[in-house]
């Protein structure tokens, strides 16, 4: 056993243990750690954004180097603050609209290609797709399962008709696929959470207490 | 039936405690567990391994302290691979939080190599072998802008150097000079790389993701949009295995060390699920 | 040794048939150079690419490994003539090819191989616009009932009876996420119910922009039901933009304030489990909804009702009766039919013929 003498490791370890204490029940140590977390996160974010965005990307070029065009984004950004002045608070919609417009414009063609067209291509039953699984003859089986799963799941999320008759059958098969998917996701999450626990334990037992090397 | 009643009333804190013991014991008393490399990781390794000499590997460090146990071993393994094979590395983060962790990983692996280097040619030198571009506003903006010019968008690196003065950047203009983007992220970022960088500029993308989001990313592997996929600690351990076996690069393998704990914890949870379900059905019958 | 000596004496064969052309379907500033491999390719270090403006003075613009026949020079001025030579390189030996024909780069208006994306955008966008237009004209658009929605009234009523607050989180998404937008619509309706019954609403946020919009939405809802005075500006607030700090803070609120009902609707990541578990342990009724597939299992196991994936969007349309949303859902439904039909037709063609059907979906 080789306990660390580094004060930062101690602070980090004690905060970790405080957060873990929530597993027992809510308590002052947890709350203390929670408030420190929120406070430090906000304080750090404000200073980071000031030094890494506002100063180098806006204030310096605009006020020191005279890049006057930057006055436009500066004004648009400032409009976010109009929310605090009730009479002109409606102006906040301008920067929100611009931000949303930019993201929607950039994402629609990209999303259609990446998430719809390419995925449709990968689902169609062709010999090329059968081989893409690298699973020999089983490629056909996997492709058919994928194909049925996609069609039936799509039918579950069809909202324009009651789920009766053929649509009722396909949507019920669809929800089975959905639930199997959730089961897989759940299993993976167990692995993720255990991994996080291991990560912290490696820190507590290794870096802090020196029990493991 | 009494056992069922006791099990049904078991305090969740006891379950936490049992789990804790099962995870801790293999860490204190380590045992080797063989790692079987699966095709998604093998594909990733090969995609990085086959990066032509004149092209670079972009490593997007997007993990934060909460995802570090799963994703940091991937970053370390990737860097060992790249530095061993002298593949040029461009490191960046699309968010601000991961910057410190990215620097930590770069420093660790650089020191690993430089501690045994005897000449300048053997050493890993900043600006020649790798560049840390740091962070700029907006993930999507970064992905799109790098398609035109990397040095124009990241005009200064993480340390404040002008990127166009760095030796490595003289030959790296945009995605045409990039072999693959390795996105290590707990969020949707690998999909964004596909949607914005791959669709538009044709660059290959590999993803290292947390196990939580694994099921979301498999479809992109099946369609070939991802050139490889590493999932959680298991994926990281597989990449560590390949780097050690194929390239003879030694070093601490944090993910591989954790596998026994994961295995026993999984067995315990499977047992809990089975017991819980038996209890549920027995109780339902009683009613 | 003998081989090296021989190479030193006779040199290596240069690449042949060098061809340069404007890179097609791009935004300009790029020229593609292609060549036939040198006969000595197997022993080369690689190829150097040289460029000239006048055909006399050449400068090196790039290097590429052996067994490669193509290089993209992406550093050209549009409208300027360039000549290219490709050099076979072996140690210090260089063998120059013939110069290419002059070529200039230029931008294209359309990226033709991506025409399929344009067509898809026009079809899906057109369908949505068509249905929005009809919804606005007052045409009744049918959407099936969604189970989780019917629980909302009971959940708000329960909080009112118990005199406890309602917690509503839109998750950790940004304003561009569709789940966040859908959640904001549902928040508007729940805020109206809170205003009517005088139930306290707690609405903490992670993203400053989502927070700004949510505040407007809640305020608007209170105004719409004639209770602007009842709107508490402190009920909608920003906590932090860090995911787990946010999760820790919202968990704390759940445990301390003990809301009667928790709405976890929007875009979630790993915090979904923390929030749903903590909420369940306080005994609150929980209604969740997200389009994030990995998070849905936790909501399904720990919450009373869950809106799965697109059900969230449909619920948002159903609850708000907004023509824009209703039209969008109907348009999406038809879009799904088209995708289903494309899959079936594509598979039939793919299995029965040798037509390169997959190329349509590149």
């Amino acid at each position: 056993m080789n306990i660390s003498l580094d004060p930062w490791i101690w602070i980090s370890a004690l905060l970790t243990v405080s957060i873990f204490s929530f597993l027992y029940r809510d308590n002052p140590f947890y709350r203390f750690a929670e408030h420190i977390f929120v406070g430090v996160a906000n304080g750090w974010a404000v200073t980071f954004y000031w030094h890494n965005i506002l100063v180098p990307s806006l204030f310096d070029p605009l006020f020191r180097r005279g890049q006057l065009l930057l006055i436009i984004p500066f004004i648009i950004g400032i409009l976010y603050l109009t929310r605090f002045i009730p009479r002109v608070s409606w102006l906040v919609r301008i920067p929100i609209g611009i931000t949303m417009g930019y993201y929607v414009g950039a994402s629609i063609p990209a999303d259609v290609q990446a998430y719809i067209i390419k995925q449709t291509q990968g689902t169609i039953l062709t010999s090329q797709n059968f081989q893409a699984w690298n699973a020999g003859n089983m490629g056909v089986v996997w492709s058919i399962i994928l194909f049925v799963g996609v069609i039936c799941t799509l039918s579950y999320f069809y909202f324009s008709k009651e789920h009766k008759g053929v649509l009722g059958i396909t949507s019920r098969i669809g929800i089975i696929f959905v639930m199997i998917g959730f089961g897989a996701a759940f299993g993976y999450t167990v692995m993720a959470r255990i991994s996080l626990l291991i990560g912290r334990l490696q820190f507590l037992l290794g870096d802090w207490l020196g029990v493991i090397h | 039936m009494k056992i069922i009643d006791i099990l049904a009333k078991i305090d969740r804190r006891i379950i936490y405690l049992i789990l804790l013991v099962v995870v801790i014991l293999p860490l204190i008393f380590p045992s080797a567990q063989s790692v079987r490399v699966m095709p998604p990781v093998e594909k990733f390794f090969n995609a990085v391994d086959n990066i032509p000499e004149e092209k670079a590997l972009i490593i997007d460090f997007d993990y934060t302290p909460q995802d570090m146990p799963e994703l940091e071993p991937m970053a370390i393994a990737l860097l060992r691979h790249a530095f061993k094979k002298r593949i040029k590395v461009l490191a960046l983060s699309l968010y601000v939080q991961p910057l410190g962790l990215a620097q930590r990983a770069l420093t660790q692996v650089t020191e690993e190599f430089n501690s045994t280097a005897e000449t300048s040619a053997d050493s890993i030198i900043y600006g020649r072998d790798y560049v840390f571009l740091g962070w700029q506003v907006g993930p999507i903006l970064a992905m799109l802008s790098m398609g035109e010019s990397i040095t124009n968008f990241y005009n200064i690196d993480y340390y404040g150097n002008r990127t166009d003065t760095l030796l490595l950047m003289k030959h790296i203009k945009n995605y045409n000079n990039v072999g693959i983007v390795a996105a290590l992220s707990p969020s949707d970022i690998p999909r964004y790389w596909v949607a914005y960088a791959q669709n538009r500029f044709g660059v290959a993308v590999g993803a290292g993701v947390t196990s939580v989001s694994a099921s979301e990313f498999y479809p992109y592997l099946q369609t070939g949009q991802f050139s490889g996929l590493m999932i959680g600690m298991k994926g990281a351990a597989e990449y560590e295995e390949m780097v050690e076996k194929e390239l003879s690069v030694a070093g601490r393998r944090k993910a591989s060390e954790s596998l026994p704990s994961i295995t026993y914890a999984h067995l315990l949870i499977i047992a809990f699920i089975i017991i819980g379900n038996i209890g549920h059905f027995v109780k339902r019958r009683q009613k | 040794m003998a081989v090296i000596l021989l190479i030193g004496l006779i040199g290596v064969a240069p690449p042949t048939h060098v061809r340069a052309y404007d890179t097609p379907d791009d935004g300009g500033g790029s020229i593609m150079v292609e060549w036939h491999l040198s006969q000595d390719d197997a022993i080369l270090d690689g190829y150097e690419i040289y460029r000239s403006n006048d055909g006399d003075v050449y400068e090196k613009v790039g290097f590429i490994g052996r067994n490669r026949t193509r290089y993209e020079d992406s550093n050209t001025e549009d409208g300027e003539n360039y000549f290219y030579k490709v050099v076979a390189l072996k140690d210090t030996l260089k063998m120059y090819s013939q110069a290419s024909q002059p070529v200039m780069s230029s931008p294209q208006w359309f990226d033709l191989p991506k025409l399929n994306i344009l067509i898809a955008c026009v079809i899906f966008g057109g369908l949505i616009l068509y249905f929005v237009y009809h919804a606005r004209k007052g045409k009744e658009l049918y959407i099936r009932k969604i189970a989780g929605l019917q629980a909302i009234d009971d959940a708000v009523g329960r909080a009112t009876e118990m005199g406890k607050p309602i917690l509503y989180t839109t998750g950790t998404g940004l304003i561009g996420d569709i789940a966040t937008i859908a959640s904001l619509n549902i928040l508007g309706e729940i805020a109206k119910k809170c205003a009517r019954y005088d139930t306290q609403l707690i609405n903490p946020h992670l993203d400053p922009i989502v927070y700004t919009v949510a505040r407007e939405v809640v305020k608007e809802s209170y105004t719409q039901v004639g209770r602007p005075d009842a709107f508490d500006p402190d009920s909608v607030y920003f906590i932090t933009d860090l995911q787990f700090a946010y999760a820790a803070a919202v968990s704390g609120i759940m445990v301390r304030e003990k809301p009667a009902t928790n709405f976890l609707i929007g875009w979630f990541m790993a915090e979904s489990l923390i929030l749903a578990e903590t909420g369940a342990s306080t005994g609150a009724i929980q209604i969740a909804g997200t389009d994030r597939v990995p998070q849905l299992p936790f909501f399904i196991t720990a919450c009373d009702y869950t809106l799965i994936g697109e059900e969230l969007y449909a619920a948002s349309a159903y609850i708000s009766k907004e023509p824009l949303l209703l039209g969008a859902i109907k348009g999406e439904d038809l879009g799904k039919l088209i995708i289903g039909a494309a899959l079936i037709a594509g598979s039939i063609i793919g299995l029965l013929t040798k037509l390169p059907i997959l190329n349509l979906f590149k």
Side-chain angles (χ1 to χ4, degrees):
Chain A
M1 198 148 148
N2 184 17
I3 296 178
S4 169
L5 298 174
D6 184 343
W8 292 112
I9 299 253
W10 272 84
I11 291 173
S12 184
L14 292 177
L15 287 172
T16 300
V17 173
S18 302
I19 292 283
F20 275 170
S21 69
F22 188 73
L23 290 172
Y24 181 69
R25 66 169 179 219
D26 190 24
N27 64 70
F29 294 106
Y30 170 74
R31 267 184 249 172
F32 174 73
E34 173 200 329
H35 289 130
I36 288 224
F37 192 11
V38 174
V40 169
N42 279 337
W44 183 77
V46 167
T47 48
F48 187 91
Y49 288 131
W50 176 265
H51 288 296
N52 289 50
I53 304 180
L54 288 173
V55 172
S57 302
L58 182 67
F59 294 147
D60 272 354
L62 179 61
F63 298 120
R64 288 197 182 166
R65 298 202 291 274
Q67 295 178 12
L68 293 177
L69 263 183
L70 286 174
I71 199 89
I72 298 169
F74 181 47
I75 291 172
I76 293 170
I78 283 281
L79 290 179
Y80 269 120
L81 302 177
T82 57
R83 196 174 50 72
F84 299 111
I85 311 162
R87 278 183 61 186
V88 290
S89 61
W90 58 272
L91 284 170
V92 76
R93 291 176 187 182
I94 295 172
I96 291 175
I98 289 172
T99 314
M100 284 180 73
Y102 165 74
Y103 279 112
V104 171
S107 64
I108 286 179
D111 289 359
V112 166
Q113 183 177 10
Y115 310 148
I116 299 180
I117 293 186
K118 283 294 279 184
Q119 291 299 322
T120 306
Q121 184 193 43
T123 309
I124 290 173
L125 298 173
T126 65
S127 55
Q128 204 178 323
N129 278 342
F130 300 156
Q131 284 154 16
W133 294 93
N134 271 336
N137 288 338
M138 282 305 284
V140 180
V141 178
W142 298 135
S143 288
I144 290 171
I145 292 174
L146 178 72
F147 181 82
V148 173
V150 170
I151 296 277
C152 293
T153 306
L154 276 177
S155 77
Y156 175 79
F157 290 105
Y158 189 73
F159 298 102
S160 297
K161 263 198 160 68
E162 281 289 343
H163 286 171
K164 287 177 185 161
V166 177
L167 191 61
I169 297 166
T170 54
S171 68
R172 244 168 282 153
I173 298 171
I175 197 70
I176 292 170
F177 273 96
V178 170
M179 290 299 160
I180 290 172
F182 289 163
F186 193 80
Y188 268 123
T189 305
V190 170
M191 180 158 103
R193 297 292 172 258
I194 301 290
S195 303
L196 298 190
L197 178 64
I198 291 169
R200 277 293 82 189
L201 289 175
Q202 279 175 331
F203 168 73
L204 290 176
L205 298 174
D207 298 359
W208 184 39
L209 297 176
V211 178
I212 57 170
H213 300 283
Chain B
M1 289 303 132
K2 264 197 169 173
I3 298 169
I4 293 293
D5 288 335
I6 293 166
L7 286 176
K9 283 179 190 153
I10 205 162
D11 192 320
R12 70 172 65 198
R13 281 169 284 205
I14 293 173
I15 295 175
Y16 292 150
L17 200 65
I18 298 171
L19 185 65
L20 189 68
V21 171
V22 167
V23 172
I24 281 182
L25 284 180
L27 290 177
I28 297 177
F29 306 106
S31 59
Q33 185 174 326
S34 64
V35 182
R36 196 171 136 224
V37 180
M38 306 298 278
V41 175
E42 200 179 346
K43 271 179 84 177
F44 204 141
F45 182 91
N46 291 336
V48 173
D49 212 54
N50 292 326
I51 293 176
E53 195 186 330
E54 71 280 2
K55 292 195 177 188
L57 158 72
I58 288 182
I59 303 183
D60 168 20
F61 293 81
D62 272 326
Y63 55 88
T64 49
Q66 55 260 29
D67 329 296
M68 203 169 73
E70 290 188 279
L71 300 180
E72 191 181 52
M74 296 180 189
I76 302 281
L78 266 170
L79 284 171
R80 283 176 183 156
H81 185 179
F83 287 169
K84 176 76 181 180
K85 295 286 303 254
R86 295 284 151 176
I87 296 164
K88 302 178 194 92
V89 174
L90 300 184
L92 57 92
S93 297
L94 295 172
Y95 295 98
V96 290
Q97 270 183 286
L99 286 170
L101 297 178
Q103 195 192 7
R104 185 176 118 127
L106 288 164
T107 310
Q108 183 194 318
V109 182
T110 305
E111 280 172 5
E112 279 175 17
F113 277 80
N114 288 350
S115 64
T116 54
E118 287 170 357
T119 62
S120 157
D122 291 343
S123 307
I124 299 299
I125 295 173
Y126 185 78
R128 185 192 74 183
D129 300 308
Y130 76 99
V131 168
F132 186 16
L133 295 170
W135 171 86
Q136 279 294 337
V137 181
I140 294 171
L141 194 62
M143 290 169 187
L144 292 173
S145 303
M146 281 195 284
E148 303 294 329
S149 166
I150 295 172
T151 48
N152 276 0
F153 186 69
Y154 289 95
N155 43 29
I156 52 166
D157 69 5
Y158 181 69
Y159 306 103
N161 308 305
R162 284 192 61 84
T163 48
D164 53 11
T165 63
L166 298 170
L167 185 65
L168 190 151
M169 298 309 291
K170 300 251 182 263
H171 308 288
I172 308 292
K173 192 189 173 209
N174 52 31
Y175 292 128
N176 290 333
N177 315 109
V178 172
I180 184 170
V181 177
L184 308 178
S185 166
S187 67
D188 259 354
I189 286 295
R191 291 209 303 198
Y192 288 3
W193 278 110
V194 168
Y196 298 100
Q198 185 176 81
N199 282 350
R200 193 140 173 208
F201 303 102
V203 68
V205 177
V209 301
T210 53
S211 346
V212 174
S213 41
S215 51
E216 237 185 325
F217 288 110
Y218 266 116
Y220 300 94
L221 187 69
Q222 185 255 337
T223 54
Q225 288 164 290
F226 282 162
S227 303
L229 181 63
M230 281 188 273
I231 294 167
M233 251 183 192
K234 174 75 168 53
E238 290 172 32
Y239 207 100
E240 285 177 345
E241 175 78 5
M242 287 211 76
V243 169
E244 193 171 306
K245 288 276 148 68
E246 303 286 325
L247 306 171
S248 312
V249 180
R252 189 174 171 192
R253 294 171 50 173
K254 265 192 163 178
S256 308
E257 285 168 17
S258 311
L259 285 189
S261 289
I262 292 184
T263 307
Y264 296 129
H266 280 192
L267 289 173
L268 179 74
I269 292 194
I270 290 169
F272 282 151
I273 292 173
I274 292 170
I275 294 168
N277 276 284
I278 292 172
H280 174 76
F281 285 111
V282 169
K283 286 234 155 197
R284 210 162 71 169
R285 248 184 154 180
Q286 281 176 343
K287 281 178 191 169
Chain C
M1 190 67 191
V3 175
I4 295 169
L5 208 64
L6 203 63
I7 291 167
L9 288 173
I10 59 168
V12 290
T16 54
H17 299 87
V18 175
R19 188 170 79 95
Y21 55 91
D22 178 28
T23 307
D25 307 308
D26 71 346
S30 164
I31 288 171
M32 197 66 84
V33 186
E34 286 182 350
W35 58 91
H36 286 188
L37 291 177
S38 154
Q39 286 171 356
D40 300 313
D41 180 77
I43 57 160
L44 292 181
D45 296 333
Y47 297 94
E48 285 182 343
I49 291 84
Y50 282 74
R51 185 177 80 185
S52 166
N53 289 101
D54 51 14
D56 277 341
V57 184
Y58 282 83
E59 57 160 354
K60 185 182 153 188
V61 288
F63 169 83
I64 199 161
R66 63 189 171 79
N67 200 23
R68 310 274 292 280
T69 57
R70 181 195 269 211
Y71 178 84
E72 185 179 350
D73 178 8
S74 49
N75 203 9
T76 61
E77 287 290 326
D78 291 340
E80 253 186 58
N81 262 327
Y82 293 102
F83 300 83
Y84 286 88
K85 282 185 178 181
V86 182
V87 174
L89 185 72
K90 170 68 190 167
D91 300 325
T92 51
L93 276 177
K94 291 182 177 183
M95 285 306 285
Y96 287 75
S97 70
Q98 295 287 322
S100 70
Q101 290 296 313
V103 62
M104 61 174 74
S105 63
S106 62
Q108 282 79 48
W109 281 99
F110 287 103
D111 186 353
L112 277 179
K114 290 189 174 156
L115 191 65
N116 55 355
I117 301 166
L118 179 68
I119 292 169
C121 288
V122 168
I123 291 174
F124 289 121
L127 284 173
I128 290 170
L129 289 177
Y130 172 82
F131 282 110
V132 169
Y133 173 77
H134 282 283
R136 283 208 169 131
K137 286 259 167 190
K139 191 178 171 189
E140 198 69 20
L141 294 178
Y142 173 79
I143 286 187
R144 71 175 162 85
K145 281 184 184 167
I146 293 149
L149 269 186
Q150 286 149 9
I152 289 180
D153 270 331
D154 300 342
V156 178
R158 182 174 180 262
T160 312
E161 277 170 23
M162 294 170 76
K164 285 188 172 180
I166 285 174
L167 174 78
Y168 192 106
T169 164
T170 54
T172 50
L174 307 180
I175 196 68
D177 296 311
I178 307 166
T180 310
I181 298 169
S183 176
L184 288 169
N185 281 320
I186 298 174
L187 171 65
E189 287 308 305
I190 287 168
K192 279 183 197 163
K193 291 186 200 299
C194 287
R196 275 192 208 110
Y197 303 138
D198 226 358
T199 310
Q200 189 198 343
L201 177 71
I202 303 172
N203 184 216
H205 285 275
L206 169 120
D207 181 68
I209 301 174
V210 177
Y211 152 65
T212 315
V213 180
R215 201 168 179 276
E216 293 294 311
V217 166
V218 173
K219 197 173 160 192
E220 185 87 14
S221 296
Y222 274 75
T223 310
Q224 275 183 15
V225 296
R227 298 291 313 277
D229 53 306
F231 171 65
D232 174 9
D234 293 336
S235 62
V236 186
Y237 54 95
F238 171 79
I239 295 184
T240 169
D241 70 347
L242 281 184
Q243 179 199 6
F244 279 87
Y246 177 79
V250 176
S251 299
I253 295 167
M254 284 174 171
V255 174
R256 287 191 285 278
E257 305 283 338
K258 294 215 163 26
T261 306
N262 297 327
F263 287 99
L264 314 169
I265 296 178
W267 197 93
F268 290 86
M269 296 234 298
E271 70 283 355
S272 66
L273 180 59
I274 300 172
L275 298 179
E277 266 280 306
T278 313
S281 72
T282 64
I285 282 195
Q286 301 205 99
I287 298 177
T290 187
D291 57 359
R292 294 271 302 154
V293 175
Q295 312 309 332
L296 279 164
F298 317 125
F299 282 156
I300 287 173
T301 45
C303 297
D304 299 275
Y305 297 96
T306 306
L307 299 168
I308 301 171
E310 213 184 342
E311 282 184 338
L312 170 62
Y313 316 149
S316 149
Y318 187 87
I319 202 167
S320 64
K321 299 284 176 215
E322 271 274 327
L324 197 69
L325 297 172
L326 282 171
I329 291 292
K330 297 298 279 190
E332 281 169 26
D333 265 3
L334 213 56
K336 281 171 223 157
L337 278 182
I338 293 172
I339 291 172
L343 285 174
I344 293 168
S347 296
I348 293 170
I349 296 168
L351 291 172
L352 299 181
T353 71
K354 292 206 165 159
L355 291 171
I357 187 72
L358 295 185
N359 288 352
L360 274 181
F361 300 94
K362 256 187 179 169

